[in-house]
Amino acid sequence: MKQRKKWYDYLWIFSLTYLLLGFVNILFAWLGMICFITPLVISIVRGNKAYCNKYCGRGQLFSMLGGRFGLSRKHDMPKWMRSKAFRYGFLIFFFAMFFVMLWNTYLVFAGGRPLSQTVKLVWTFKVPWHWAYHGTLFSDGVAQFAFGFYSIMLTSTILGFVTMLLFKPRSWCVYCPMGTMTQLICKAKK
């Protein structure tokens, strides 16, 4: 008997919509904060990784693309990518990039630098994204945060997609910074 789908089985649509909306208007990148805050709140309040296991739209998207659509090679990840050293190292690197993004946002808010209408892929390659922002009632700092946050979300999606292609569909989940943080929170609560 086929199990009936629940509302959260369709959260992959949110992940896909988020990426598309950020392509059209960068201010939609602020919606990504839902994917940033929710796993932390769930792990703090409930002491478990329910977000990763049940609600993560990105993980669902990779499962669908790699599993149902057969885009994954379904190979095991190399041992070094599953190691604690790699996971924690990637978390530290991710935090460093996040704080650089926050610093750049602060500089734009403070008037120390102009708005950079670029998206950085893999935290290195600057891609002009000028079509996605035409000014608003908000300050340029709000847009700078959106450009930076969208860069992080798009980069992590690309890394997850490549990992999904090379290995098992949800291989990204093994070293996802949010998954590592929620796991640390759960361990600390116990």
Side-chain angles (χ1 to χ4, degrees):
M1 186 169 147
K2 193 172 185 179
Q3 198 174 32
R4 190 168 175 225
K5 296 249 184 191
K6 297 188 171 49
W7 65 269
Y8 52 79
D9 292 324
Y10 298 97
L11 288 173
W12 65 269
I13 296 169
F14 176 78
S15 289
L16 198 55
T17 303
Y18 169 80
L19 292 170
L20 294 173
L21 288 174
F23 188 80
V24 175
N25 186 329
I26 199 65
L27 294 179
F28 281 112
W30 279 87
L31 291 174
M33 290 302 291
I34 295 169
C35 301
F36 190 77
I37 294 171
T38 305
L40 298 177
V41 169
I42 289 173
S43 63
I44 290 168
V45 172
R46 296 180 64 191
N48 63 33
K49 291 183 58 146
Y51 182 85
C52 295
N53 298 328
K54 195 185 278 189
Y55 305 115
C56 180
R58 185 181 296 173
Q60 290 175 5
L61 182 63
F62 294 148
S63 284
M64 185 176 60
L65 293 173
R68 190 179 315 156
F69 293 113
L71 297 178
S72 173
R73 291 175 49 204
K74 296 180 177 67
H75 292 193
D76 287 333
M77 293 176 69
K79 201 173 191 175
W80 64 269
M81 286 184 82
R82 295 184 314 241
S83 71
K84 283 185 181 182
F86 181 76
R87 288 177 38 231
Y88 294 141
F90 190 76
L91 177 64
I92 291 166
F93 178 73
F94 180 84
F95 264 122
M97 294 300 104
F98 186 76
F99 287 117
V100 166
M101 180 216 45
L102 290 177
W103 177 251
N104 289 332
T105 299
Y106 165 76
L107 290 175
V108 172
F109 266 117
R113 79 183 282 184
L115 172 66
S116 173
Q117 294 188 46
T118 58
V119 168
K120 280 187 175 179
L121 295 178
V122 197
W123 299 288
T124 306
F125 307 105
K126 290 183 180 183
V127 180
W129 218 260
H130 58 278
W131 67 84
Y133 181 70
H134 303 287
T136 65
L137 300 172
F138 304 108
S139 79
D140 282 349
V142 171
Q144 186 63 57
F145 180 88
F147 278 106
F149 198 73
Y150 191 78
S151 296
I152 289 172
M153 294 294 278
L154 185 60
T155 292
S156 58
T157 301
I158 290 169
L159 290 174
F161 185 76
V162 169
T163 306
M164 180 267 309
L165 289 173
L166 296 174
F167 308 112
K168 291 182 179 174
R170 288 188 72 149
S171 293
W172 161 255
C173 302
V174 172
Y175 66 99
C176 168
M178 292 309 299
T180 305
M181 280 194 301
T182 57
Q183 185 176 34
L184 289 172
I185 291 168
C186 293
K187 282 182 180 178
K189 283 197 72 142
K190 292 178 182 177

